[in-house]
């Protein structure tokens, strides 16, 4: 049970595995007015930057669950580095279907709604761990503008133009599911660049050091195609944000 190795190669220098910068992650924490002792569950927690920095800055406690052995190891090391290993715990496991033993104050899935089969399923999954009146965080892509055709949608890594909604429709979707949207912090093109473009250097450095690896041809192919694909399609059409929800 793990992520494909190519994924961890791409994001080997990343502490945040989505198009948020540290400033945006910090802005989200401030916007939520987190009280000391807030109990957080973070599903698909990656390298643990959200839990670790919020434990340091806001004195939350929490558990992160992630399928990647590499990222879980990095998360535990980050907790030790920031002196918060007594406040946050990281579990290597499949976040799909994971429910906390006791209700939490904040349940999050920031950028991995595939664990619930989409937004609606992920909201249902998070609700199973959330105390009444608790706060839910969902990170999700959206179309910055309606995509003109299926080619563009697929070039933005969507299987279909209907896979994502434009921003007002996504916000309305949360309402349809019975939740008020009470905060949001959105990625911008610069933070997308920092997420995507940093992968290209990671890939190139890895390829230079591992030219005979079984993955070398795949990595070389990505380096040939990804910068053009991203700048031609994804940068203009795909947005991403984290939305804070409270059930009605």
């Amino acid at each position: 049970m793990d992520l494909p190795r190519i994924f961890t190669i791409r994001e080997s220098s990343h502490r945040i595995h989505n198009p948020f910068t540290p400033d945006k992650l910090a802005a989200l924490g401030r916007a939520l007015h987190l009280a000391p002792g807030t109990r957080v569950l973070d599903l698909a927690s990656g390298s643990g930057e959200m839990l670790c920095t919020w434990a340091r800055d806001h004195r939350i406690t929490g558990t992160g669950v992630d399928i990647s052995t590499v990222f879980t190891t990095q998360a535990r090391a980050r907790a030790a580095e920031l002196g918060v290993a007594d406040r946050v715990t990281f579990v290597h496991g499949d976040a799909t279907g994971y429910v906390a033993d006791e209700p939490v104050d904040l349940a999050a899935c920031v950028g991995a709604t595939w664990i619930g089969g989409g937004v609606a399923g992920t909201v249902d999954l998070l609700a199973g761990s959330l105390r009444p009146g608790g706060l839910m965080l969902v990170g999700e892509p959206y179309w910055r503008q309606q995509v003109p055709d299926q080619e563009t949608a697929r070039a933005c890594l969507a299987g279909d133009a209907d896979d994502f909604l434009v921003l007002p429709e996504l916000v309305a979707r949360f309402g349809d599911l019975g939740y008020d949207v009470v905060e949001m912090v959105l990625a911008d093109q610069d933070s997308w660049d920092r997420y995507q473009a940093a992968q290209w250097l990671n890939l190139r450095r890895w390829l230079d050091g591992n030219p005979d690896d079984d993955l070398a041809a795949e990595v070389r192919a990505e380096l040939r195609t990804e910068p053009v694909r991203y700048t031609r399609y994804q940068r203009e059409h795909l947005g991403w944000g984290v939305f804070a929800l409270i059930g009605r």
Side-chain angles (χ1 to χ4, degrees), residues 8 11 30 45 52 76 128 149 162 173 191:
T8 55
E11 303 208 4
R30 292 192 300 269
S45 53
C52 290
R76 292 168 180 160
D149 49 46
D162 294 333
R173 177 69 171 134
S191 54

Side-chain angles (χ1 to χ4, degrees), residues 20-21 41 46 77 82 105 126 136 163 170 191-192 214-215 235-236 239:
F20 255 17
T21 61
L41 173 67
L82 296 184
D105 303 306
L126 293 174
M136 184 181 296
D163 281 3
L170 177 58
S191 54
W192 263 116
D214 290 344
L215 282 178
R235 194 175 191 272
E236 294 301 318

